[in-house]
Amino acid sequence: MPNNEAKETRRKRKEMKEEKTEKTIYDLPGVGAATAEKLIAVGFSDLMSIAVATPAELIDATGMGDALAKKLIAVARSSLEMGFESGEELMKRREKVIRLKTGSKAFDALLGGGLETGAIVECFGEFGSGKTQLGHALAVSSQSADKDAVAVYIDTENTFRPERIIQLAKGAGLDEEQVLKNIKVARAYNSDHQMLLAEKVEDLIKKQGLNVKLVVVDSLTAHFRAEFIGRGTLAERQQKLNKHMHILMKLADTHNLCVYVTNQVMAKPDMFFGDPTQAIGGHIVAHASTFRVYLRKGKKGTRVAKLVDSPSMPEGEANFYVDETGIKDIE
Ligand code: GTP
Ligand code: MG
């Protein structure tokens, strides 16, 4: 038996090595196949996740001893190239950034020319404010952003509509069939499923060789909000959301793609001034999103996008409307 296990570990090690050149959790001392499985099962699938874990988390996940947990974290930390990049290298990466168009010039300008790849863009707002419409519009427009570009749509509320994609593709003068073909849709039935689907995007890129330029998660928070009710579950919910956001950020970063996530708002009845609404997910979602946009309904059926957080653009607002052909500027 132990022999078999050793063999299995060697095989897995080899497999993971072939897949990526970077070190894996199988390279950690004292981690056999069984421990590795346990770690992976709860999301500690790479060295980074171990390096930033606490010993208690590893102990909870695997039942390993305190000394080993501490050692693993230390080894993971030292073996990671805790990446410092020169400003010049960063600038080169910035030059590769592609900007996905919303359809409205004003909205694009608000974001510095469109939604950036390499970033998470969060839109939050009340029902009917246009979050899902923007997701559909981006799924179409992103395909013109790069050669053979593919959009991934993780649909948690069953609101993805291929009919709407056809309308938008027609509006943009694109071949509807081709556009539909290049959108990979998955329905997420609960928060765990949603997290798993986000992880699987990596396979689409690595194993199927797809040039994914956009990942939509609509809605990012609805399942989490529905499943974790009450104060007692808040910490667990935030922990899971945090992990989910990390996976999305890593996708955006390593594959130069844009992650677009939608988020609901909750009423804050104790607020007397300003807009009494607040995004779900608290500081975890807010902090992990590179750009944050608040969408609301304006006068006469228009919509207002307000940039509330961005690394390089000033706060501001843009007005637009949604019609059959897509997202449009107000004349
Ligand atoms: P929730 O998911 O309920 O929180 O809302 P949301 O922010 O995702 O709203 P969504 O993007 O679904 O907005 C739908 C709104 O877009 C509708 O209420 C319409 O006012 C507007 N809209 C305008 N033209 C069209 C159109 O041709 N098709 C569709 N589907 N919606 C349109
Ligand atoms: Mg929606």
Side-chain angles (χ1 to χ4, degrees):
M1 220 23 212
N3 224 344
N4 268 344
E5 201 174 286
K7 227 164 134 186
E8 177 70 358
T9 309
R10 272 202 300 278
R11 190 185 64 76
K12 285 236 169 87
R13 226 174 240 163
K14 199 164 156 258
E15 216 177 77
M16 283 184 103
K17 275 228 170 95
E18 277 165 7
E19 229 173 76
K20 353 179 183 162
T21 44
E22 58 194 77
K23 280 194 174 171
T24 73
I25 64 165
Y26 289 95
D27 297 313
L28 292 173
V31 173
T35 309
E37 292 302 325
K38 279 187 204 160
L39 285 169
I40 290 170
V42 289
F44 294 107
S45 51
D46 58 10
L47 288 187
M48 180 60 89
S49 60
I50 304 233
V52 299
T54 63
E57 284 173 328
L58 296 188
I59 293 165
D60 279 352
T62 60
M64 68 176 58
D66 185 57
L68 180 58
K70 282 182 180 151
K71 185 173 157 200
L72 290 187
I73 292 168
V75 175
R77 285 184 180 181
S78 67
S79 63
L80 270 182
E81 286 182 34
M82 288 290 205
F84 285 99
E85 266 180 306
S86 71
E88 193 192 9
E89 281 166 333
L90 269 177
M91 195 61 220
K92 272 197 193 124
R93 276 219 292 171
R94 288 289 301 160
E95 281 161 15
K96 293 205 183 102
V97 166
I98 301 171
R99 290 184 174 79
L100 310 183
K101 306 296 180 192
T102 61
S104 150
K105 291 216 165 63
F107 198 163
D108 289 347
L110 184 71
L111 300 167
L115 283 80
E116 286 187 4
T117 56
I120 298 181
V121 182
E122 174 202 357
C123 274
F124 62 99
E126 60 170 323
F127 67 93
S129 56
K131 304 180 295 290
T132 298
Q133 287 304 312
L134 180 59
H136 282 66
L138 291 167
V140 174
S141 75
S142 61
Q143 297 188 27
S144 311
D146 202 18
K147 194 175 172 288
D148 302 321
V150 165
V152 171
Y153 204 110
I154 299 177
D155 180 16
T156 78
E157 302 191 293
N158 200 15
T159 50
F160 178 83
R161 292 290 176 274
E163 300 88 330
R164 185 66 181 130
I165 295 294
I166 291 176
Q167 278 184 338
L168 295 170
K170 274 187 185 154
L174 298 170
D175 175 4
E176 307 123 54
E177 237 173 82
Q178 198 56 38
V179 168
L180 274 178
K181 225 181 249 172
N182 287 332
I183 304 176
K184 308 292 172 197
V185 186
R187 177 83 201 278
Y189 293 100
N190 55 49
S191 64
D192 283 317
H193 190 200
Q194 179 182 331
M195 291 170 77
L196 184 64
L197 287 170
E199 284 177 45
K200 290 289 174 193
V201 174
E202 188 90 18
D203 286 353
L204 292 181
I205 297 167
K206 283 195 174 158
K207 294 191 179 153
Q208 297 190 34
L210 298 182
N211 181 20
V212 179
K213 278 289 149 263
L214 172 72
V215 176
V216 176
V217 187
D218 181 25
S219 138
L220 174 75
T221 47
H223 279 317
F224 290 91
R225 188 187 194 185
E227 288 165 30
F228 298 90
I229 306 160
R231 277 247 146 241
T233 62
L234 193 64
E236 196 190 344
R237 182 187 88 178
Q238 292 306 86
Q239 221 170 37
K240 283 184 81 176
L241 254 176
N242 189 32
K243 198 182 139 205
H244 189 37
M245 296 302 284
H246 258 104
I247 288 165
L248 293 171
M249 191 65 238
K250 201 172 159 205
L251 274 177
D253 225 23
T254 44
H255 302 293
N256 191 33
L257 56 81
C258 173
V259 174
Y260 168 69
V261 302
T262 70
N263 195 359
Q264 274 81 10
V265 288
M266 55 189 168
K268 274 194 82 191
D270 55 337
M271 207 174 132
F272 293 108
F273 301 103
D275 202 328
T277 49
Q278 192 182 325
I280 308 290
H283 73 276
I284 296 260
V285 173
H287 201 73
S289 303
T290 328
F291 293 82
R292 307 191 72 214
V293 178
Y294 174 41
L295 290 185
R296 66 174 195 274
K297 294 174 187 167
K299 285 180 194 141
K300 294 184 193 157
T302 62
R303 298 288 185 273
V304 184
K306 180 180 185 180
L307 185 65
V308 293
D309 198 2
S310 139
S312 53
M313 296 300 295
E315 286 194 2
E317 288 192 347
N319 298 292
F320 65 93
Y321 68 94
V322 185
D323 75 2
E324 204 177 298
T325 56
I327 287 174
K328 299 280 167 234
D329 277 317
I330 292 166
E331 304 293 308

